[in-house]
Amino acid sequence: MAQYTLDVNGKSQTVNVDSDTPLLWVLRDSLNLVGTKFGCGIAQCGACTVHIDGIAMRSCSIPVSKVNGPVTTIEGLSENGTHPVQKAWKQHDVPQCGYCQAGQMMTAAAFLKENKNPSEKEICSAMNGNICRCGTYPRINKAVKTASKL
Amino acid sequence: MENKKTLNRRTFFKISGAAGGGMVLGFSWLAQGCKQPEEIAKVLEMPSEWYDINAYLKIGDNGVVTIFSQNPEIGQNVKTSMPMIVAEELDIDWENVIVEQAGLNTDKFPRQVAGGSQSIRQGWKALRDAGATARQMLINAAAQQWEVDPSKLTVSKGIIQGPNGQELGYGEVASMAATMEVPTDVPHKKITDFNIIGSDKKNVDLQNIVTGKPLFGIDTKREGMQYASVLRPPAFGQKLVSFDDAEARKVSGVNDVIKFGNKIAVLADATWPAMKAKKLINAEWAVDSTLESTADHDKQLIAKLNTDNTEPFRNDGDVDKAFSEADEIISRVYESPFLPHNCMEPMNFFADVREDKVEMHGPIQTPAWSRSRASKIIDRKEEDIDVTMSRMGGGFGRRLYGDFSDEAAEISSIAKKPIQLIFTREDDMTAGTYRQAIKYKIEASLKDNKITGYKLSEAAINSNMYGLIPNFFPAGAIPNLRISGNKQKSNITTGAWRAPYTNFLAFAEQSFFDEVAEKLGKDEVDLRMELLEIAKPIAESDEKIEYSPARMQGCIKLAAEKAKWGKQAQGTYQGISAYYSHNTHVVEIANVVMEDGQAVVKKVTCAVDCGIVINPDAATNMVTGGIIDGIGHAMYGDLTFDNGVPSAANFDEYRLIRNTEIPEIDVHFVPSTKDPTGLGEPTLPPAGGAIANAIYKATGTRMYKQPFVKEMNVIG
């Protein structure tokens, strides 16, 4: 076990965990930020997507010892669900079960920072790494488009 | 704070006081309603007292209403749509409604199950009664206060009006209403007066989902809780011989290693050490029964297909005569693999087995079954066990089977600690309760340009699905018909998977009818309409027949019109599939085009008859998802076994449909005033047939096996 100090959602947090502990479990178990979800553990489904230094990353596959920038999770995306992506998700009532949606929104938020006016094709491609088992993809894509205009 | 009134009928919830700061039930985050607490504080002033009107609702002294959603929420959106039905009959402004997930209470609520697309259909009357009865009690209370006959009063959006223009809000009469006799046979609203049902209402958990609040079973936390990761036999048919846990115990955070049955649980302070330590257990396994492989299943099932030794599930006319007199016989075999459910939230469950009581909490479609089995496993009375349901990150049938809640109860009982059991994705995919591998042989006899006979033989691992639905189409449409099945026993655990019975059958049958249409030189829509016309009088006289030929014709007409069937530009190929299941009629028409020599599904047009649509926008979401799921699994879903070991353990080896692979989906509902039916399942089955039939038109290649991606590769 070792101590790690992380900047999570603008707050400095110190945790005492093994160096190989994935950021995902530090967030969920040590810091009680359970909005970031466990889906596969091997960076294939995108449910655990967070931002590190503003870039969308799979927190299940990044050991805490390798985190080298400020972390933003779904809880830190906005104060109260007012980030354009969250607003758009609400406008389109995207979720079915809802489990993958935090990861979808974190991917979308990082993508929209890079591409302010994406085409439909660019949206699909950007979102392709996030699996939605319920099949809410059409609404996800519409919501990303809407968010790009908010 | 106790409720003010003791009710003179069944005992209702003991409800905590909720002044100002949100409600506190047993689990703090279960009490999340339509609105997030901050929103409630802004928009709704919380009442200082709540009054239980009946099991489904309580009313605050300021008119705010809490409606309890009794069924488990797996993403089918019943937590929104079921309370909408209560609110409609209660006649309240939806903005004043808070929804809470009810825990398991079989004395109060019928059928607390998520399964079979039955929540809305089977809940419809009870939910309407709950709202209507409560409304009448409130009216009666106001009438008593004003000393007028209740029939002189009218009500709208939570305000009762008297004959002289007096007004009382529900909150003002709730305390009196709670003591009133419960009226019987209260009339329901006229369908034409609905203003909540049939309007778009957003998911009541939406704000909590988009802000990442703890809602799901996996988010459960309790004081002193241990995380449990379980090592199970790597192959079906194996048992545990011995194990060495020395290395596992060295992992910091690990507190215990427990053997139970053929499994070993690692208990740790956090999830990661539990998962990590599990991998360090050195276990020896031995063959317990048979180590089965897909190659063996294939041989066994083909042999079963050609064995005619069972009592038919349905047997009309004289099939043998029809076939012996046929001008031509078509015979085809359709084959499917096993499928894992792959809910995005891996299986998990919380259990705290204590001396005084037992708490169980988590994602379960069948909480009553979990309680009943836990009672036996830990030898405790059912009344000592509290079961509450979290929101679920998908169900798809996997969470009908509470093997994980059983494990959680057993581990907590042995460890004497609260534990949260959590599956890794590999656990989830390899210790599944799979959709079994199935094969169908379908045959038709043709004579004088008509179908005279139909034979279907099913061979399936462990259970014959068709045995439960032999009176679906084409029963009634073909005079000589025989449906039969054989099963092959297996030690691989199998069970219901989204749209059980029909998720593969519908593809087989609807592909087959396209071949029949081709042989008869008929348009595929025309053939289906003709067969349904034949079935109409039979369906009226044969009460066993489940589907409605007329309603299916209505769906076909609507889908054909919306999809511009037969009027597509050259280069767009269409395929149709019409399938009734789970009490809902669905037609899907797929458009396929060729791009770079590959068949690409561009669009699916869907017509659904599910009776009254409770929440149209959410219903459209559900229908769309079902179609995408159906396409995804028909195209890519594939699990095989080699010596008892599943072929895939995670998403690097198992392909689920992704964002770039979806077609445009266009959904239409047949306008209806009939009682509503469910939508979670019935739009999945027709998808495979619709795309297979369109692919055939585009490529000239018929699909006989799922997943299609394998077939298409073979074809090259």
Side-chain angles (χ1 to χ4, degrees):
Chain A
M1 297 254 241
Q3 276 204 348
Y4 298 91
T5 300
L6 306 171
D7 175 340
V8 180
N9 298 332
K11 226 165 117 182
S12 176
Q13 302 271 13
T14 300
V15 296
N16 197 19
V17 292
D18 274 352
S19 61
D20 62 351
T21 308
L23 174 61
L24 167 69
W25 299 113
V26 170
L27 295 170
R28 290 185 56 84
D29 293 350
S30 307
L31 302 177
N32 208 17
L33 294 167
V34 295
T36 305
K37 297 302 190 219
F38 168 55
C40 68
I42 57 166
Q44 291 290 312
C45 77
C48 67
T49 305
V50 299
H51 298 170
I52 300 179
D53 241 344
I55 296 164
M57 304 287 274
R58 302 297 165 82
S59 66
C60 75
S61 299
I62 300 164
V64 62
S65 52
K66 298 273 160 51
V67 176
N68 49 14
V71 177
T72 307
T73 70
I74 186 71
E75 292 92 342
L77 197 55
S78 69
E79 273 285 304
N80 190 24
T82 51
H83 184 280
V85 165
Q86 290 168 310
K87 281 187 182 170
W89 246 250
K90 287 190 271 188
Q91 187 183 320
H92 291 277
D93 202 3
V94 172
Q96 285 183 33
C97 86
Y99 191 79
C100 74
Q101 300 296 347
Q104 303 274 4
M105 286 185 284
M106 295 310 284
T107 300
F111 166 64
L112 290 174
K113 263 195 287 185
E114 299 300 315
N115 189 338
K116 309 239 182 262
N117 187 23
S119 68
E120 280 179 32
K121 212 169 171 185
E122 286 168 337
I123 291 171
C124 290
S125 299
M127 301 306 296
N128 204 44
N130 289 70
I131 297 174
C132 173
R133 176 71 178 79
C134 300
T136 63
Y137 299 125
R139 284 184 188 224
I140 286 170
N141 296 344
K142 278 185 202 158
V144 174
K145 188 79 191 166
T146 298
S148 74
K149 293 173 182 163
L150 291 176
Chain B
M1 200 186 303
E2 288 287 304
N3 287 327
K4 267 194 170 171
K5 305 290 178 189
T6 306
L7 305 181
N8 58 357
R9 46 188 191 279
R10 294 177 298 171
T11 314
F12 292 130
F13 283 95
K14 295 278 183 206
I15 293 151
S16 318
M23 299 140 290
V24 181
L25 293 179
F27 298 99
S28 60
W29 56 65
L30 287 183
Q32 286 160 344
C34 278
K35 295 162 201 326
Q36 143 120 351
E38 303 92 273
E39 271 190 52
I40 290 171
K42 264 186 247 157
V43 180
L44 293 178
E45 199 177 317
M46 293 306 288
S48 47
E49 295 290 344
W50 287 104
Y51 301 97
D52 291 326
I53 306 298
N54 59 37
Y56 294 83
L57 63 101
K58 61 181 179 178
I59 299 181
D61 55 8
N62 63 348
V64 170
V65 177
T66 292
I67 300 179
F68 297 98
S69 183
Q70 77 268 32
N71 279 19
E73 173 62 61
I74 57 178
Q76 81 282 45
N77 210 26
V78 288
K79 194 175 170 185
T80 305
S81 53
M82 293 178 89
M84 282 173 70
I85 298 168
V86 178
E88 179 69 72
E89 291 291 347
L90 181 62
D91 212 336
I92 175 96
D93 193 333
W94 183 247
E95 290 302 307
N96 287 334
V97 173
I98 297 166
V99 176
E100 279 184 35
Q101 175 72 54
L104 175 65
N105 193 323
T106 44
D107 293 335
K108 285 180 195 159
F109 299 112
R111 202 186 177 278
Q112 288 185 282
V113 173
S117 295
Q118 295 301 309
S119 295
I120 291 291
R121 177 173 171 262
Q122 294 196 29
W124 176 240
K125 185 174 181 303
L127 295 165
R128 294 186 82 185
D129 285 346
T133 305
R135 181 188 65 213
Q136 191 60 51
M137 287 160 76
L138 293 155
I139 290 172
N140 291 350
Q144 199 170 311
Q145 201 162 321
W146 290 331
E147 295 179 343
V148 296
D149 191 275
S151 65
K152 305 277 185 222
L153 310 190
T154 58
V155 63
S156 175
K157 294 198 170 183
I159 308 288
I160 304 163
Q161 289 197 321
N164 305 317
Q166 319 95 304
E167 282 193 352
L168 278 170
Y170 280 178
E172 295 170 272
V173 290
S175 67
M176 191 189 280
T179 65
M180 315 257 337
E181 197 176 322
V182 180
T184 52
D185 299 326
V186 177
H188 295 148
K189 263 190 182 178
K190 281 191 207 138
I191 289 168
T192 46
D193 291 340
F194 284 170
N195 61 60
I196 294 175
I197 292 173
S199 69
D200 296 335
K201 297 288 181 250
K202 295 211 159 133
N203 186 324
V204 295
D205 281 337
L206 188 55
Q207 173 74 8
N208 290 330
I209 291 169
V210 303
T211 52
K213 294 289 183 296
L215 288 170
F216 299 91
I218 203 170
D219 304 335
T220 305
K221 304 229 178 204
R222 294 289 186 281
E223 189 66 36
M225 184 180 93
Q226 292 282 295
Y227 293 83
S229 185
V230 172
L231 182 67
R232 301 172 186 81
F236 287 89
Q238 284 182 326
K239 65 180 176 187
L240 179 63
V241 177
S242 63
F243 69 98
D244 175 359
D245 61 13
E247 290 304 309
R249 285 181 184 272
K250 285 181 194 160
V251 174
S252 50
V254 169
N255 295 313
D256 210 350
V257 178
I258 293 169
K259 175 182 178 293
F260 65 111
N262 271 319
K263 306 168 193 174
I264 306 155
V266 178
L267 271 58
D269 295 334
T271 314
W272 179 247
M275 287 181 175
K276 186 166 112 179
K278 180 175 80 165
K279 288 189 190 159
L280 298 173
I281 294 174
N282 194 359
E284 192 191 333
W285 310 94
V287 176
D288 189 31
S289 52
T290 314
L291 301 182
E292 300 177 15
S293 295
T294 292
D296 305 328
H297 291 153
D298 281 344
K299 283 186 208 140
Q300 290 159 344
L301 293 178
I302 290 288
K304 297 270 178 196
L305 268 191
N306 295 310
T307 311
D308 206 10
N309 64 354
T310 49
E311 278 294 300
F313 303 131
R314 186 174 170 114
N315 196 6
D316 293 346
D318 189 339
V319 172
D320 294 335
K321 187 162 178 276
F323 275 75
S324 69
E325 292 173 355
D327 297 334
E328 189 172 0
I329 289 168
I330 310 174
S331 178
R332 298 287 182 266
V333 172
Y334 299 88
E335 303 176 69
S336 78
F338 287 82
L339 293 179
H341 295 80
N342 285 332
C343 302
M344 289 310 291
E345 179 190 13
M347 297 306 110
N348 64 84
F349 222 78
F350 171 82
D352 185 10
V353 179
R354 298 194 303 268
E355 289 287 318
D356 59 334
K357 70 171 193 164
V358 179
E359 266 185 80
M360 297 179 69
H361 174 69
I364 183 75
Q365 293 178 244
T366 51
W369 295 358
S370 281
R371 184 176 62 186
S372 159
R373 282 192 317 275
S375 158
K376 293 185 183 78
I377 292 166
I378 58 175
D379 193 21
R380 295 284 291 265
K381 288 182 195 151
E382 281 202 36
E383 52 264 39
D384 291 344
I385 305 173
D386 277 346
V387 180
T388 48
M389 298 85 86
S390 65
R391 189 177 181 85
M392 284 176 250
F396 310 108
R398 178 63 183 88
R399 289 185 159 107
L400 292 168
Y401 308 98
D403 45 297
F404 43 87
S405 69
D406 298 352
E407 289 180 353
E410 191 167 1
I411 296 165
S412 174
S413 176
I414 296 169
K416 297 191 172 21
K417 283 175 188 157
I419 67 111
Q420 168 74 6
L421 169 72
I422 177 166
F423 281 39
T424 61
R425 176 56 59 191
E426 290 79 8
D427 297 336
D428 195 278
M429 216 180 285
T430 60
T433 305
Y434 308 102
R435 197 286 304 276
Q436 73 268 59
I438 307 179
K439 298 189 196 301
Y440 290 104
K441 182 176 177 184
I442 311 183
E443 296 171 280
S445 59
L446 309 180
K447 189 173 174 60
D448 301 333
N449 220 34
K450 283 192 182 118
I451 316 178
T452 53
Y454 183 86
K455 282 196 278 192
L456 181 144
S457 168
E458 178 187 74
I461 298 292
N462 284 338
S463 62
N464 283 111
M465 298 307 222
Y466 213 146
L468 297 158
I469 53 157
N471 304 303
F472 281 17
F473 181 84
I478 301 169
N480 306 295
L481 173 142
R482 185 160 68 221
I483 308 289
S484 59
N486 280 292
K487 58 188 171 222
Q488 172 67 40
K489 213 172 158 12
S490 166
N491 59 18
I492 295 164
T493 44
T494 57
W497 189 100
R498 192 177 194 173
Y501 327 138
T502 63
N503 50 46
F504 175 68
L505 168 64
F507 150 71
E509 176 198 296
Q510 288 294 303
S511 299
F512 185 79
F513 275 99
D514 259 35
E515 291 209 50
V516 171
E518 190 178 33
K519 288 273 182 206
L520 295 176
K522 287 190 177 177
D523 175 86
E524 299 89 340
V525 165
D526 292 346
L527 175 74
R528 285 171 176 80
M529 293 297 275
E530 284 170 24
L531 288 170
L532 290 163
E533 199 59 35
I534 295 167
K536 268 187 191 167
I538 314 281
E540 281 187 17
S541 61
D542 179 349
E543 60 186 29
K544 281 190 187 159
I545 287 184
E546 274 196 49
Y547 67 102
S548 160
R551 290 178 82 173
M552 188 58 94
Q553 284 183 331
C555 278
I556 292 176
K557 275 185 206 155
L558 180 61
E561 177 205 321
K562 297 292 181 187
K564 299 188 170 61
W565 177 262
K567 294 172 194 158
Q568 290 292 322
Q570 208 177 357
T572 296
Y573 304 91
Q574 291 190 306
I576 185 169
S577 178
Y579 208 78
Y580 164 92
S581 67
H582 302 277
N583 311 98
T584 295
H585 298 79
V586 183
V587 174
E588 290 166 23
I589 293 175
N591 290 9
V592 163
V593 300
M594 296 301 290
E595 285 178 1
D596 303 327
Q598 283 275 325
V600 179
V601 185
K602 295 301 264 192
K603 184 175 178 180
V604 174
T605 305
C606 178
V608 183
D609 183 350
C610 61
I612 292 164
V613 182
I614 307 294
N615 192 0
D617 186 58
T620 301
N621 198 357
M622 176 70 16
V623 168
T624 304
I627 295 168
I628 290 170
D629 199 10
I631 294 172
H633 282 89
M635 288 291 292
Y636 313 120
D638 191 17
L639 193 76
T640 56
F641 286 85
D642 185 14
N643 285 314
V645 179
S647 59
N650 207 325
F651 297 132
D652 54 340
E653 300 169 323
Y654 191 92
R655 187 168 172 188
L656 286 170
I657 193 166
R658 286 180 182 267
N659 196 316
T660 51
E661 294 162 336
I662 58 159
E664 179 191 349
I665 312 269
D666 183 25
V667 177
H668 302 273
F669 292 95
V670 175
S672 175
T673 54
K674 290 194 160 58
D675 287 356
T677 57
L679 285 174
E681 290 162 302
T683 68
L684 181 143
I691 62 171
N693 290 336
I695 289 169
Y696 170 71
K697 283 204 201 153
T699 64
T701 303
R702 291 278 181 199
M703 298 292 119
Y704 296 106
K705 282 186 188 178
Q706 289 187 357
F708 299 159
V709 71
K710 264 191 179 173
E711 288 277 273
M712 290 162 95
N713 284 346
V714 170
I715 293 150

